Amino acid sequence: LEIVNIHDAGSTQAAFAVAVTSGSFYDYTVEEHSVKYLGLAHLTEHALFLGTESFPRRSGFDEFLADHGGSSNAYTAEEATVFFADLSAGAFEEGMERFADFFNAPLLDPLAVWEEVNAVNSEHAKNQQSPSWQTSRVMYSLASPSSPLQWFHTGDKATLARGGRDDLAAAIRAYFDENFC
């Protein structure tokens, strides 16, 4: 684990970020599951924002940031998933505590994860309209059939909901345990 800490006592804003070395190339079939969930890394990115053991409210992190002049976002690349947030400097300690709990104790509640599939599906529909996304898909199609470049990276309802809610919840927990801990 590498940590970079920059402190400016005169700053009114604070920010933090984490890059996890696991991205869409890490989507795989967990041995006890018969369904390969393409887009599992991306769904996991979304799911970490849906509450933690210490802060269980689904929208609690976003509400806390909004109350303290901040915002957050994340993205899943091929080999990394990056989470980041900013907020007023006075709320830094609690914000960091909430953020750290994403990686220590996410709820990964089966119902919340199941409902978040709709958000991933909407994001995919939006991405399909982008010329850069379309160009990437053409480039990926030229890769070897055995390459993860050929995989469907963002996921949608068809790839994430086919095994059912309970199997998806077990797969996302296994993915998190293997790649985030």
Side-chain angles (χ1 to χ4, degrees), residues 126-173:
K126 174 192 64 94
N127 290 345
Q128 286 181 299
Q129 307 308 310
S130 164
S132 64
W133 185 89
Q134 294 166 359
T135 301
S136 294
R137 291 309 310 154
V138 170
M139 297 292 288
Y140 292 161
S141 75
L142 301 173
S144 167
S146 62
S147 169
L149 284 171
Q150 286 278 356
W151 297 354
F152 177 45
H153 300 144
T154 56
D156 63 8
K157 275 189 178 180
T159 65
L160 293 168
R162 68 173 123 203
R165 182 177 87 183
D166 293 338
D167 194 68
L168 178 61
I172 204 166
R173 175 56 72 182

Side-chain angles (χ1 to χ4, degrees), residues 27-148:
D27 287 346
Y28 61 92
T29 303
V30 178
E31 284 190 30
E32 65 268 17
H33 300 279
S34 60
V35 177
K36 185 172 193 168
Y37 292 103
L38 296 176
L40 190 62
H42 184 212
L43 180 61
T44 303
E45 167 215 311
H46 280 242
L48 294 190
F49 285 90
L50 299 176
T52 67
E53 288 180 16
S54 296
F55 306 98
R57 286 179 39 88
R58 280 192 199 180
S59 57
F61 185 67
D62 290 334
E63 290 169 358
F64 174 81
L65 292 177
D67 288 346
H68 297 282
S71 63
S72 68
N73 210 337
Y75 64 89
T76 302
E78 290 82 3
E79 297 187 84
T81 305
V82 178
F83 303 82
F84 51 95
D86 67 277
L87 70 168
S88 64
F92 177 78
E93 285 187 33
E94 184 176 346
M96 180 61 93
E97 182 181 348
R98 289 170 176 267
F99 187 67
D101 217 34
F102 280 19
F103 309 101
N104 291 324
L107 288 180
L108 302 177
D109 174 69
L111 179 59
V113 169
W114 187 250
E115 291 173 355
E116 193 64 18
V117 169
N118 291 319
V120 170
N121 192 64
S122 294
E123 186 176 337
H124 172 63
K126 174 192 64 94
N127 290 345
Q128 286 181 299
Q129 307 308 310
S130 164
S132 64
W133 185 89
Q134 294 166 359
T135 301
S136 294
R137 291 309 310 154
V138 170
M139 297 292 288
Y140 292 161
S141 75
L142 301 173
S144 167
S146 62
S147 169

